[in-house]
């Protein structure tokens, strides 16, 4: 008997991955949570039917969402991570000894529990003593913060369901306020390729451009996400993502990576013409 997990990427396209077994299935207060074991991608975390990560390609996403801002900002001490109950972004952050405190805000306690139980290679650093977990809505959490963080990482789900509020103008404005005067916000920015994703992408970009003086988009290749072509947003009050990249300083830290390099960092901000055009549309016409 063959078992397959499928995620529809559009009404006409789906990604199917052969699975050996379903390791976990449950319904939390917020969403359905599934974990599968697969021969090609290892364990797969699925929320409400959407692939959040697989053991095989999660390093690409987590390295790109963390090391890009870390190689730009010269002095990150306090970080806020929103969403990302799987702990992947936190794992990459804990590799920097200079970081003193990481606040992780995840609305769904059950996601953290399931990842601790079934995805230890990803969630393993959630127990680091610098990590403080808050089971709260990220939207509400940032409302009351001011001038507090050097870096905010928004590692949300897609812009529907529990993650919807993390794509609003109000949320980005509050992130701006919660950042110190030279703070950086990085967010997962959806894919530019299929129409519905591209619309979400443009909407998010428009709101970020309106909230931050510096706002650029960068890309990575993530095989299990829709189209495999994924974007991230880099928004900042002072630092430019490429001009202020300090490759030497980052290399001296001796952090071993499998995807990120400072050379790739520069290249990641060079976008395909159709993506530039898409983004320019909302930049110019407000
Ligand atoms: N968060 C973004 C996942 C988006 C994937 N979308 C989809 N499969 N339709 C990933 C969380 C990893 N820490």
């Amino acid at each position: 008997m063959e078992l397959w997990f499928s995620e529809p990427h559009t009404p006409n396209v789906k990604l199917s991955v052969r699975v050996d077994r379903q390791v976990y299935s449950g319904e939390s207060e917020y969403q359905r949570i599934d974990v599968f074991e697969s021969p090609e991608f290892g364990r797969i975390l699925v929320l409400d039917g959407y692939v959040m990560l697989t053991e095989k390609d999660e390093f690409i996403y987590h390295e790109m969402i963390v090391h890009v801002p870390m190689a730009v900002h010269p002095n990150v001490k306090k970080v806020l991570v929103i969403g990302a109950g799987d702990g992947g972004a936190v794992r990459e952050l804990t590799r920097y000894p200079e970081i003193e405190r990481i606040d992780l805000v995840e609305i769904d306690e059950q996601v953290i529990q399931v990842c601790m139980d079934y995805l230890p290679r990803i969630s393993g650093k959630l127990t680091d003593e610098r990590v403080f977990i808050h089971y709260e809505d990220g939207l509400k959490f940032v409302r009351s913060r001011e001038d507090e963080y050097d870096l905010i990482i928004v590692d949300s789900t897609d812009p529907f369901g529990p993650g919807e509020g993390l794509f609003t103008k109000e949320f980005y404005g509050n992130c701006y306020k919660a950042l110190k005067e030279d703070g950086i916000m990085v967010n997962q920015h959806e894919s530019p390729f299929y129409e519905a994703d591209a619309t979400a992408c443009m909407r998010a970009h428009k709101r970020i451009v309106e909230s931050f003086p510096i706002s650029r988009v960068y890309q990575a290749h993530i095989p299990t996400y829709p189209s495999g072509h994924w974007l991230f947003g880099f928004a900042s009050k002072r630092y430019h993502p490429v001009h202020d990249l300090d490759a030497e300083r980052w290399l001296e830290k001796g952090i071993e990576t499998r995807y990120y390099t400072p050379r790739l960092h520069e290249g990641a901000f060079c976008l395909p013409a159709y993506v530039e055009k898409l983004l320019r549309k909302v930049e110019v016409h407000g």
Side-chain angles (χ1 to χ4, degrees), residues 7 9 50-53 61-62 84 86 88-89 155-158 188 190 224-226 230:
E7 177 188 327
H9 285 176
Y50 299 103
V51 172
M52 287 298 115
L53 57 82
Y61 182 93
H62 293 125
D86 53 80
D155 183 1
S156 59
T157 53
D158 297 304
Q188 83 84 357
E190 297 291 300
T224 54
Y225 286 172
W230 210 255

Side-chain angles (χ1 to χ4, degrees), residues 253-271:
K253 294 178 198 283
I255 293 173
E256 212 177 294
T257 46
R258 286 167 65 205
Y259 192 86
Y260 178 83
T261 68
R263 250 172 76 74
L264 178 125
H265 179 137
E266 286 186 53
F269 285 88
C270 301
L271 301 172

Side-chain angles (χ1 to χ4, degrees), residues 17-30:
V17 179
R18 192 222 275 275
V19 299
D20 296 321
R21 66 196 175 97
Q22 186 163 27
V23 180
Y24 175 88
S25 184
E27 190 87 39
S28 77
E29 198 183 320
Y30 301 98

